[in-house]
Amino acid sequence: MGTDALLGGRYRLDHVAGHGGAATVFAAYDTVLDRTVAIKMLAHRRDETGVLHERFEREARAEARITHPNVVSVHDIGETEDGRPYIVMDYVDGRSLQEIIAADGPVSSERVAIVGTGIARALAAAHALGIVHRDVKPANVIIDLQGIPHLMDFGLARELFDADPGLTAPGVLVGTAYYVAPEQARYGTASPGSDLYALGAVLYHALAGEPPFVGEGALDVALRRFEEDPEELRARVPAADPDLTATIHALLARDPVERPWDAAAVAVRLGDIAARLRATRTAGETQAPLG
């Protein structure tokens, strides 16, 4: 195959690996470095406002700055001949957490703790660089074949001290209604604490099989979190680990001041829970039967 048929003169598109929002993700082959990569490509050329392209470029810049095993790394950016931008990323062979929940149902306490540990570590790495994700949700968490979670899609990310307050008009909800923090839904205020709220909502969804709040539409779902707390997880999942459920509910505190404030500390806490649950399970599996 000649370079004229390759994207950017080096990437061969093999097949569609997924769709999300206004973009398509392809599994591709990098002919220069001899490896499989993922290429996320916008479906449309530059629009009049340029907002989608700016978000796309912001995603590339944010992810390129973060080097962490639980973050999908960005290697290159480019634009097709017809003006569609693309991002070249790590290829993660696996399924999104959203796909796993939809196909397999609620996730075990141990696995939820493992996923939470990895995503909290990814957020800690982003926050250390002054980057807030703003759209942590199951569709943006990819679990590879070894069970390792990877956070992706920093398209709504922004710098903590960015003079530009964002790429949305006032009053527009930034994030996904099922997982967005109350202050982010009401005021558009994004912080490490709002990312941690979203992490709590994602883990709640994984453990219970549905998000903490559901409703008639996005606005109804977002408004409910202003007036009530989610149902106790132990009531919905009696077998759930109590330390895990307590951690999730702490992350879902309506007042940001009452939430854990440090993603690295949350990662340690969830990691300890995962290690304890793993040790308990392993001991039970290896115990010799009596008689």
Side-chain angles (χ1 to χ4, degrees):
M1 176 181 292
T3 56
D4 290 345
L6 300 175
L7 187 65
R10 66 184 287 183
Y11 303 109
R12 184 189 70 221
L13 300 183
D14 288 339
H15 62 269
V16 174
H19 295 276
T24 300
V25 178
F26 297 88
Y29 177 69
D30 182 348
T31 61
V32 174
L33 295 180
D34 188 25
R35 63 180 177 180
T36 299
V37 295
I39 294 182
K40 183 176 181 179
M41 185 184 299
L42 272 186
H44 304 288
R45 288 173 287 181
R46 187 174 297 274
D47 61 346
E48 291 183 2
T49 65
V51 168
L52 283 178
H53 280 63
E54 178 58 28
R55 282 184 179 173
F56 208 67
E57 292 165 8
R58 175 170 285 187
E59 174 183 356
R61 290 195 300 269
E63 290 182 49
R65 289 181 57 197
I66 306 169
T67 302
H68 192 276
N70 295 114
V71 175
V72 177
S73 297
V74 166
H75 304 294
D76 193 9
I77 60 173
E79 192 169 284
T80 64
E81 291 184 357
D82 63 353
R84 290 177 295 161
Y86 61 85
I87 302 172
V88 183
M89 308 176 291
D90 285 338
Y91 177 78
V92 180
D93 192 4
R95 295 186 292 169
S96 73
L97 183 58
Q98 177 174 288
E99 292 171 326
I100 290 171
I101 297 169
D104 306 335
V107 180
S108 70
S109 290
E110 180 185 344
R111 197 173 181 192
V112 167
I114 291 171
V115 170
T117 300
I119 299 311
R121 288 172 177 166
L123 289 174
H127 295 166
L129 294 172
I131 297 170
V132 180
H133 189 284
R134 298 206 297 173
D135 197 23
V136 179
K137 60 185 179 182
N140 287 339
V141 176
I142 307 299
I143 313 297
D144 69 21
L145 298 182
Q146 287 72 47
I148 299 172
H150 304 263
L151 182 62
M152 62 178 293
D153 200 347
F154 282 72
L156 294 182
R158 62 169 292 195
E159 304 287 339
L160 281 171
F161 305 106
D162 194 344
D164 175 6
L167 296 167
T168 52
V172 175
L173 176 63
V174 177
T176 303
Y178 290 117
Y179 314 101
V180 69
E183 69 275 11
Q184 189 174 338
R186 176 170 281 169
Y187 305 114
T189 303
S191 69
S194 60
D195 275 352
L196 288 173
Y197 180 98
L199 172 62
V202 167
L203 300 184
Y204 187 108
H205 185 174
L207 195 60
E210 64 177 26
F213 299 102
V214 294
E216 295 297 326
L219 182 60
D220 181 41
V221 171
L223 289 176
R224 284 191 60 191
R225 72 201 62 224
F226 301 147
E227 303 170 353
E228 58 187 274
D229 295 320
E231 183 182 357
E232 283 290 333
L233 272 166
R234 293 298 300 283
R236 301 184 67 168
V237 190
D241 180 77
D243 290 341
L244 176 63
T245 59
T247 300
I248 293 173
H249 281 288
L251 292 169
L252 289 171
R254 278 183 279 172
D255 187 343
V257 176
E258 296 178 1
R259 288 178 218 144
W261 61 273
D262 181 66
V266 172
V268 171
R269 187 172 178 181
L270 290 169
D272 288 343
I273 294 171
R276 173 176 53 78
L277 292 173
R278 186 185 304 111
T280 301
R281 173 178 54 80
T282 303
E285 290 174 352
T286 59
Q287 185 176 12
L290 298 177

